[in-house]
Amino acid sequence: MSGWIAIAGLGPGDAALVTPEVTLALAEATDVIGYIPYVARVAPRAGLALHPSDNRVELDRARHAIDLALAGHRVVVVSSGDPGVFAMAAAVFEAIDHGPPAWRSVDVRVLPGITAMLAAAARAGAPLGHDFCAINLSDNLKPQALIERRVALAAQADFAIAFYNPRSRARPDGLGRAFAVLRDVCADDRPVLFARAVTTPEEALRIVPLPEARAEMADMRTVVIVGSSTTRTIARGGTPFLYTPRSAS
């Protein structure tokens, strides 16, 4: 039987949000490849080899998947959320693009998943109801100056902005720099959502105005969504509803 690669999104955390398409691919797989905590979400079974690896070896991981598929294995490359959003789909195609011609014949499918950004927005209401963008605050693969330029331009365009990978021990200052840029460009009190560990038992939502937003309110399990100038809150018992109207003047 010929091999294949399915690049799959496992969703934001709750098993109920893994799509049936991904579940079927995992049931048919001979091998699962991915970052250590994502592979840990896949139940072991007879005939399935698990290949966890570190977070900074994405291209090596992609090449390993291609080699296995060419050898006839059925390989699922797992990411959290959606594999095409700051995740493994791009790495696999980059490896194919720069690899030998034979790699272009590999059967590759991308199986979409629910992103942390969309899960967080749904929990809060509809903060991405109008135009928005997503920015990865990690400077592992791009310079900090480029990140800050993109944050400034997104704010000038009045997008709602979802920040991925906002803060880690190795990068404690990036989110604070992004907030400083936003306060300088926006100069208002638009709402900021901190959505941590959405759809897991550790889930926590917090909404504060931009002047009160601090980097310490987030970690690597947090998605931060900054509203546009039109984003509104609806006060109620508990966490308010957060939404951005679909119309703009």
Side-chain angles (χ1 to χ4, degrees):
M1 180 180 294
S2 59
W4 47 256
I5 297 173
I7 313 169
L10 297 178
D14 189 337
L17 297 182
V18 178
T19 70
E21 182 182 40
V22 169
T23 299
L24 178 60
L26 289 170
E28 296 176 345
T30 59
D31 299 81
V32 170
I33 292 177
Y35 179 38
I36 295 165
Y38 306 152
V39 174
R41 292 175 56 185
V42 177
R45 61 170 169 79
L48 179 66
L50 302 178
H51 306 273
S53 54
D54 187 69
N55 197 30
R56 298 197 182 194
V57 293
E58 289 186 345
L59 283 175
D60 290 339
R61 191 181 299 146
R63 296 182 188 109
H64 185 199
I66 295 165
D67 285 338
L68 287 173
L70 287 171
H73 294 236
R74 302 183 298 276
V75 185
V76 176
V77 179
V78 293
S79 297
S80 67
D82 181 280
V85 179
F86 306 128
M88 280 301 300
V92 171
F93 290 117
E94 182 178 352
I96 291 172
D97 189 22
H98 296 285
W103 285 10
R104 302 187 179 206
S105 65
V106 176
D107 178 6
V108 181
R109 292 167 283 156
V110 180
L111 311 184
I114 297 173
T115 72
M117 169 183 69
L118 297 181
R123 279 291 198 261
L128 306 180
H130 197 59
D131 296 339
F132 68 90
C133 67
I135 298 176
N136 187 343
L137 292 184
S138 172
D139 61 359
N140 288 338
L141 298 174
K142 60 180 182 284
Q144 181 64 34
L146 177 59
I147 295 172
E148 293 181 24
R149 179 172 179 268
R150 289 178 173 173
V151 171
L153 291 173
Q156 289 170 22
D158 201 20
F159 288 117
I161 308 170
F163 288 135
Y164 276 74
N165 298 319
R167 190 167 183 265
S168 69
R169 293 176 188 173
R171 298 180 292 98
D173 303 323
L175 181 58
R177 292 183 183 181
F179 283 150
V181 171
L182 291 172
R183 282 190 282 267
D184 182 57
V185 174
C186 302
D188 60 18
D189 60 353
R190 64 188 59 200
V192 179
L193 168 67
F194 294 84
R196 184 179 188 277
V198 172
T199 80
T200 77
E202 294 78 39
E203 176 178 305
L205 302 180
R206 183 178 186 180
I207 299 172
V208 301
L210 178 58
E212 297 178 18
R214 297 291 180 268
E216 294 76 17
M217 297 177 180
D219 61 14
M220 281 296 286
R221 297 188 69 192
T222 306
V223 172
V224 179
I225 297 179
V226 181
S228 71
S229 65
T230 65
T231 302
R232 299 288 180 260
T233 57
I234 303 175
R236 64 187 187 118
T239 304
F241 288 130
L242 182 67
Y243 82 103
T244 303
R246 293 185 62 196
S247 60
S249 57

